[in-house]
Amino acid sequence: MTDSITSALKIAASGLEAQSERMRIVSENVANARSTGETPGSDPYRRKTVAFTSEMDRLLGADLVRIKSVGTDRSDFRMEHDPGNPAADKDGYVKMPNVNMLVEMTDMREANRSYEANLQVIKQARELINLTIDLMRG
């Protein structure tokens, strides 16, 4: 069994790792928000999604957060009239990615806040460790 400060550090570290991956996926979605297919009728970029799971660490005696899977959003593509685009069909319509920038910005903000909260836990745990060491010296 480990002490509670070490447990807090490991739990927060698992949260940092998961939210970091989530921010990477959201960034990829934002970067590809206008990425169409290369040929007429081909599918554009499909939005990626992240699913989390809790995983019991028996040694720690606590649940850690992990990425369960990175999937794809199966919602429909938007159609946009752009006859000059190489991916336009015979009527001039292009399939656009199913990325909603408002959703992506909301996800990024939430992931960033969760990341910062986990970082604060780590900072506090380190401060407690340093205070304990100082007390033991004096």
Side-chain angles (χ1 to χ4, degrees), residues 76-122:
D76 294 334
F77 297 119
R78 293 179 292 115
M79 296 299 284
E80 201 172 277
H81 191 260
D82 185 7
N85 192 310
D89 63 14
K90 64 182 179 346
D91 298 321
Y93 286 94
V94 179
K95 289 182 187 177
M96 298 303 291
N98 58 349
V99 175
N100 180 331
M101 290 301 286
L102 184 60
V103 170
E104 300 307 320
M105 291 297 105
T106 302
D107 281 353
M108 180 64 82
R109 189 172 189 168
E110 182 182 329
N112 188 43
R113 285 185 174 174
S114 294
Y115 186 92
E116 288 175 0
N118 283 300
L119 193 57
Q120 276 303 110
V121 169
I122 289 174

Side-chain angles (χ1 to χ4, degrees), residues 23-126:
M23 286 190 275
R24 189 190 67 75
I25 296 297
V26 171
S27 297
E28 187 176 322
N29 289 340
V30 169
N32 287 292
R34 302 283 303 163
S35 298
T36 62
E38 295 180 12
T39 59
S42 62
D43 285 345
Y45 175 82
R46 189 171 287 279
R47 177 179 182 261
K48 291 184 179 178
T49 59
V50 178
F52 298 104
T53 187
S54 62
E55 184 178 282
M56 178 59 142
D57 184 318
R58 295 188 191 281
L59 180 64
L60 194 60
D63 286 335
L64 304 178
V65 65
R66 299 281 185 230
I67 299 288
K68 180 179 182 180
S69 64
V70 176
T72 55
D73 182 346
R74 304 305 303 170
S75 63
D76 294 334
F77 297 119
R78 293 179 292 115
M79 296 299 284
E80 201 172 277
H81 191 260
D82 185 7
N85 192 310
D89 63 14
K90 64 182 179 346
D91 298 321
Y93 286 94
V94 179
K95 289 182 187 177
M96 298 303 291
N98 58 349
V99 175
N100 180 331
M101 290 301 286
L102 184 60
V103 170
E104 300 307 320
M105 291 297 105
T106 302
D107 281 353
M108 180 64 82
R109 189 172 189 168
E110 182 182 329
N112 188 43
R113 285 185 174 174
S114 294
Y115 186 92
E116 288 175 0
N118 283 300
L119 193 57
Q120 276 303 110
V121 169
I122 289 174
K123 286 178 182 178
Q124 291 295 318
R126 287 178 60 187

Side-chain angles (χ1 to χ4, degrees), residues 5-25:
I5 294 176
T6 304
S7 295
L9 282 169
K10 288 183 179 180
I11 293 166
S14 74
L16 283 175
E17 187 178 326
Q19 294 304 330
S20 178
E21 179 68 9
R22 180 181 180 192
M23 286 190 275
R24 189 190 67 75
I25 296 297

